[in-house]
Amino acid sequence: MPPPAGLLPWPSPSTTRLTTPTPTRPPPPPTRVRPPPPPPPYTRVRLPPPPPPTTPPRPRLEATAPKPTAASNPLPPDTASTASSSSTCLDCVHFGKCSGCTHEVDLDKPPVLQEVANFFKGHGVGDFTFSRGRLSQWRCRAKLAVRGTPENPLIGLYQEGTHVVTDIPECRAHHPSINAAVKLLRQGISELNIQPFDEDAGTGELRYVQMAVTTYNTSIPVDKRYEQGRVQVSLVWNSRDERSQNAEKLALLIEFLWRNGGPKSSVHLIHSIWVNFQTSTSNIIFGHKWRHLKGERDLWERYGGVDISLDPCSFGQANTLSFNSLLHKLNKYVPRGSTVVDLYSGAGVIGLSVAASRKCRSVKCVEINKQSKMSFEKSASRLPTNLGCTITWHNTDASVEPVHWLEGSSVVIVDPPRKGLHPSVIGALQKVALSERKAYKAKSSLAKVKDEKRPWILRAREAAVHVDNTTTEESSETWPETLIYISCGWESFKKDCKSLISSKAWQLENAHAFNFFPGTDSIEILAIFKRESEA
């Protein structure tokens, strides 16, 4: 049985230039060799090679970086923030046991980076950049399994390919406040005899915990806000509701956490406490029933120049700093006064940021997860009242007749899941871009008459959120001129990119990469396409 959703290995603001090719990594020795201590700030040193192994080394599961060849290109310009660690080594005691990180050196150059740089250069992108971001203590959201015993609770991730949990109290990727909150939770489990979940027997009380850090605190200087982030703790409790048999122990645990980490404790660590009730035997971490029990109900964060509220059941980026870096770059590619559609929008973070920063005439956010609606409404309530922009959020599947959402928009933003764009969305983008636009105009005008008889349109309207009453005429003559593609799956992006440009519908103009998950071979892509001119 695969690990539960949300506990897969970790697949992350800032601009310096890197011209050194990615070095070939030597095979690991049979025993761990701790990297040397970090060099002084802004001084680059080369790690000494490990001693030759006396026995054949154990094969590694990670993907290795491509070997430099005569045809290899120099690595792209790097955007390194002042918050970045001066060391590019992981230096984590859990490496090799924990499934989170797959490599421990050269965290500023993911193994896939050279391939990415070569791909974009081969497609005519001359200004490709890479933002390395912060290399440690970057993770502000974590879902962790709770197993073991009350005397020795294990709070961490599954080992690769198993349901054996590795305890990671000193995780180097976690924001320090997450590690501190985990330590406090471990103490509460032991003192109160809380039973960690037993998957085989289906017994126990605490199944998982989600930790989410907010760095939004206007009462302290900006440069202190990240390091003093507070944690929203969400406990996944093995019962149907708060009236179940083990409810008394849940209440005791919550009081323990709040007394020792709340506003009256010596260190105000905990922002709020939520409980999710889950009794399913499936791999799904969260159940449908949530309860807010302590602290502030809303967790706010500053993203892309706007205040965003994220409920514990809403999707949020783990790397706050790098996500803000991406939004800053993205906004520059949206012309002022645009009409925008944001597909796969989640709680509307990107759409709201664009609406506020680029003075858009209209922004439509389309999202299939109805639980994101409340977060969107709260975030939108903090927008300036004089934007002059009509902003709507629609609960529907963007892959069903996607041309309906493309019509009337000059810019389309897509941020699909790791598997990439749905084929229907690819097809719509190809067709409306060039020769078949006229056919789509006629088809779309006819479709408007039939809208009231199409159930998916009715459902989308019923679940819609309208933020501004400004009347904006969206002409059916307007179709996307700019496509902004955000991708967390490199392989799926390559496939989608080739489909878009091979049809001669779109031209790839700009591309940037972001190190959202240092220590892994994952990379976040921001690509800008322009519609090909009609002949």
Side-chain angles (χ1 to χ4, degrees):
M1 183 168 64
L7 283 170
L8 298 176
W10 297 322
S12 119
S14 61
T15 45
T16 48
R17 291 201 170 256
L18 291 179
T19 57
T20 306
T22 305
T24 304
R25 185 182 172 196
T31 58
R32 180 182 296 275
V33 177
R34 180 65 56 87
Y42 307 107
T43 302
R44 179 67 60 88
V45 299
R46 181 72 60 183
L47 292 175
T54 55
T55 58
R58 184 179 62 180
R60 293 301 300 270
L61 296 177
E62 83 232 32
T64 55
K67 295 181 178 180
T69 64
S72 292
N73 301 309
L75 289 178
D78 170 50
T79 52
S81 73
T82 55
S84 302
S85 168
S86 60
S87 173
T88 61
C89 302
L90 181 63
D91 193 23
C92 183
V93 296
H94 307 302
F95 183 78
K97 300 175 184 177
C98 167
S99 60
C101 296
T102 56
H103 61 281
E104 57 184 342
V105 297
D106 293 335
L107 301 189
D108 58 333
K109 295 187 286 289
V112 74
L113 179 58
Q114 188 68 65
E115 178 193 336
V116 174
N118 291 343
F119 177 88
F120 285 121
K121 184 169 184 179
H123 286 84
V125 176
D127 65 345
F128 173 63
T129 61
F130 171 67
S131 173
R132 79 172 204 168
R134 190 184 186 107
L135 302 182
S136 64
Q137 301 179 345
W138 53 266
R139 177 173 280 276
C140 293
R141 298 179 73 90
K143 297 185 183 79
L144 305 171
V146 182
R147 301 293 184 267
T149 64
E151 298 77 22
N152 184 30
L154 306 175
I155 304 176
L157 301 177
Y158 292 116
Q159 294 179 18
E160 188 73 34
T162 75
H163 274 223
V164 177
V165 171
T166 296
D167 201 30
I168 52 172
E170 301 177 48
C171 176
R172 289 277 292 153
H174 283 170
H175 188 288
S177 294
I178 290 182
N179 286 344
V182 168
K183 181 179 179 180
L184 182 61
L185 176 62
R186 180 180 288 104
Q187 181 183 348
I189 291 172
S190 296
E191 290 190 15
L192 300 172
N193 196 35
I194 304 295
Q195 297 294 324
F197 187 60
D198 184 321
E199 287 186 70
D200 295 331
T203 59
E205 293 154 341
L206 185 55
R207 300 169 65 121
Y208 300 95
V209 62
Q210 176 178 265
M211 304 282 190
V213 175
T214 173
T215 63
Y216 185 88
N217 186 349
T218 57
S219 65
I220 59 177
V222 174
D223 59 346
K224 300 291 184 183
R225 292 177 187 176
Y226 188 84
E227 64 186 57
Q228 296 184 26
R230 295 171 183 166
V231 184
Q232 178 193 70
V233 179
S234 299
L235 305 170
V236 182
W237 199 252
N238 189 34
S239 67
R240 294 184 180 277
D241 53 44
E242 58 268 45
R243 298 184 300 273
S244 298
Q245 198 171 23
N246 56 4
E248 183 178 351
K249 294 182 74 173
L250 172 60
L252 290 173
L253 179 58
I254 291 170
E255 287 300 325
F256 175 89
L257 294 173
W258 195 243
R259 184 174 65 253
N260 291 282
K264 294 184 179 180
S265 62
S266 58
V267 177
H268 188 182
L269 172 66
I270 296 179
H271 168 275
S272 56
I273 302 176
W274 288 69
V275 175
N276 176 264
F277 297 98
Q278 171 69 296
T279 58
S280 172
T281 57
S282 70
N283 284 341
I284 299 174
I285 293 178
F286 296 127
H288 297 295
K289 190 173 294 186
W290 289 87
R291 293 288 183 271
H292 168 248
L293 299 175
K294 291 288 185 181
E296 300 178 44
R297 181 178 182 86
D298 299 324
L299 182 139
W300 292 93
E301 191 57 85
R302 188 79 173 169
Y303 286 122
V306 294
D307 294 346
I308 298 295
S309 171
L310 290 175
D311 288 334
C313 56
S314 298
F315 170 78
Q317 289 286 353
N319 195 325
T320 299
L321 296 176
S322 284
F323 184 49
N324 260 319
S325 179
L326 183 148
L327 289 175
H328 179 72
K329 183 79 72 174
L330 181 154
N331 285 340
K332 295 180 179 179
Y333 290 105
V334 179
R336 289 184 176 273
S338 297
T339 54
V340 178
V341 61
D342 178 11
L343 305 182
Y344 311 92
S345 68
V349 178
I350 297 173
L352 293 172
S353 173
V354 167
S357 64
R358 305 306 291 172
K359 306 297 182 184
C360 298
R361 289 191 294 129
S362 69
V363 174
K364 296 179 292 189
C365 298
V366 182
E367 170 58 34
I368 195 171
N369 179 11
K370 63 181 180 181
Q371 292 181 321
S372 298
K373 179 180 179 180
M374 186 178 296
S375 290
F376 176 85
E377 289 178 308
K378 293 176 182 177
S379 303
S381 69
R382 289 202 177 183
L383 289 174
T385 57
N386 60 347
L387 278 183
C389 175
T390 299
I391 308 171
T392 56
W393 184 92
H394 306 266
N395 178 213
T396 190
D397 187 348
S399 67
V400 179
E401 297 194 40
V403 70
H404 174 84
W405 304 109
L406 300 180
E407 183 179 8
S409 300
S410 58
V411 176
V412 56
I413 300 172
V414 295
D415 185 9
R418 190 171 297 276
K419 63 183 178 181
L421 293 173
H422 190 278
S424 66
V425 178
I426 289 281
L429 287 168
Q430 292 172 332
K431 291 174 182 176
V432 303
L434 282 176
S435 59
E436 294 191 38
R437 279 190 294 151
K438 293 181 180 179
Y440 263 96
K441 291 174 187 176
K443 178 181 177 181
S444 180
S445 299
L446 178 63
K448 288 181 180 178
V449 180
K450 300 180 180 179
D451 274 355
E452 299 305 322
K453 299 181 180 179
R454 296 152 85 185
W456 72 271
I457 289 287
L458 293 176
R459 286 195 297 270
R461 286 178 177 170
E462 290 170 0
V465 179
H466 295 262
V467 175
D468 192 297
N469 292 324
T470 303
T471 301
T472 302
E473 292 295 329
E474 292 186 354
S475 171
S476 60
E477 301 296 313
T478 301
W479 295 93
E481 299 281 349
T482 302
L483 167 62
I484 300 177
Y485 193 138
I486 304 159
S487 172
C488 61
W490 172 239
E491 293 300 324
S492 61
F493 172 80
K494 285 193 298 183
K495 176 175 64 68
D496 290 348
C497 179
K498 291 175 181 177
S499 296
L500 290 168
I501 61 181
S502 64
S503 65
K504 305 299 181 182
W506 296 91
Q507 178 179 348
L508 179 61
E509 288 208 348
N510 308 93
H512 309 279
F514 299 83
N515 198 15
F516 271 31
F517 303 96
T520 76
D521 200 21
S522 179
I523 199 166
E524 196 85 2
I525 298 297
L526 172 64
I528 314 300
F529 298 82
K530 292 291 185 179
R531 195 176 71 189
E532 289 278 11
S533 300
E534 289 185 282

